[in-house]
Amino acid sequence: MTLKTCLLTTVFALSLGLAPAMAGPVRDAEAKIADAYNDYRAALFLTNQKKKAETEASLAAFKTKWAALTAAWATTPPPHYAEDTKLGETIAAVTKLTDEATQLANAGDLAKSHEVLEGIRDALGDLRARNGIVSFSDRMNAYHTVLEHVYDHKYDSPAALAEDVAVLAYLAKEVGANRPAGADAAAFDPLFKAMEGSVTALRAAIKGGDAAAIDAARKAIKPAYSRMFLKFG
């Protein structure tokens, strides 16, 4: 599957708004995942910052919360995942990845630990996708997928770059239009505006045609996303 096909599939899935009404045990289960995911996000961010002690602390917190969650789900899985035949595989995969990332972090290989941690985001995203759920994290993940391509890919022409950046701009708007329930606008809005603004700046640089300006603008999109991801992703 090409990148463009993957992007179109992602955009279509997000546009469906498949998330069910979050009530009772469904809402409680997602709240527990979100609570653990806060520590996961911190660990993912901190590995990039090369902060070993802080990474280890965040991983330990995530591991504790994930263990409690999986123990509860072993007997009573939440209703929206109860019929998922791959739920056990996902739980086991996240546990294994957490253990591996922790061992790597303890050994000081934070770059490899970060790489391993990326798999947890994918595993939980796949879990939601299999069960018709679209969360704010999924919208951030869709943006991140395109961001990484725009950031790293060697383009043959500015027009090809502009095409992918247009998709990035669309996905940024999806993020902004779906602020998480309970998120403080005073905290959310500045981070989102900085993230969206980095894409706007890149589009302007491409239009201007200055190679140095384009390169600088490409480099700026990742830090803006990282700050948003750490707080809300």
Side-chain angles (χ1 to χ4, degrees):
M1 184 180 290
T2 66
L3 172 68
K4 187 175 292 185
T5 301
C6 289
L7 298 184
L8 290 172
T9 301
T10 298
V11 168
F12 176 71
L14 294 181
S15 71
L16 292 177
L18 294 174
M22 293 296 173
V26 174
R27 181 173 55 198
D28 291 346
E30 291 303 314
K32 286 183 173 63
I33 294 175
D35 183 40
Y37 202 72
N38 287 339
D39 295 301
Y40 163 74
R41 285 203 316 269
L44 195 64
F45 179 83
L46 290 164
T47 49
N48 254 348
Q49 300 298 307
K50 310 304 181 188
K51 295 182 177 180
K52 184 175 184 292
E54 293 90 337
T55 294
E56 291 172 337
S58 293
L59 280 170
F62 174 70
K63 188 172 183 177
T64 297
K65 292 175 182 178
W66 184 254
L69 183 151
T70 56
W73 287 15
T75 55
T76 310
H80 54 315
Y81 297 137
E83 296 183 5
D84 185 347
T85 59
K86 294 184 178 180
L87 178 60
E89 292 179 21
T90 297
I91 290 173
V94 172
T95 300
K96 181 179 179 180
L97 289 167
T98 303
D99 289 342
E100 184 179 350
T102 299
Q103 291 172 2
L104 289 164
N106 291 345
D109 192 347
L110 297 181
K112 184 62 176 177
S113 180
H114 179 89
E115 183 180 327
V116 170
L117 284 172
E118 292 279 9
I120 293 177
R121 174 163 51 192
D122 294 340
L124 293 178
D126 289 345
L127 171 66
R128 290 188 294 270
R130 289 196 307 268
N131 293 279
I133 296 171
V134 178
S135 71
F136 181 77
S137 291
D138 293 311
R139 298 181 191 280
M140 286 290 285
N141 292 347
Y143 179 91
H144 176 260
T145 297
V146 182
L147 177 150
E148 290 288 354
H149 185 76
V150 167
Y151 189 87
D152 293 327
H153 187 65
K154 296 186 183 301
Y155 288 92
D156 294 331
S157 68
L161 171 60
E163 186 175 332
D164 285 348
V165 174
V167 177
L168 194 65
Y170 170 84
L171 293 173
K173 289 186 182 302
E174 285 291 296
V175 169
N178 292 276
R179 189 173 73 200
D184 180 17
F188 181 91
D189 290 349
L191 291 172
F192 170 69
K193 287 177 180 177
M195 189 182 88
E196 186 179 42
S198 70
V199 181
T200 301
L202 178 53
R203 297 185 87 174
I206 295 168
K207 186 176 181 179
D210 182 87
I214 293 172
D215 186 56
R218 283 176 75 178
K219 291 178 180 176
I221 60 175
K222 188 174 283 191
Y225 166 82
S226 295
R227 290 189 289 271
M228 180 74 171
F229 176 78
L230 177 62
K231 184 69 176 178
F232 295 106

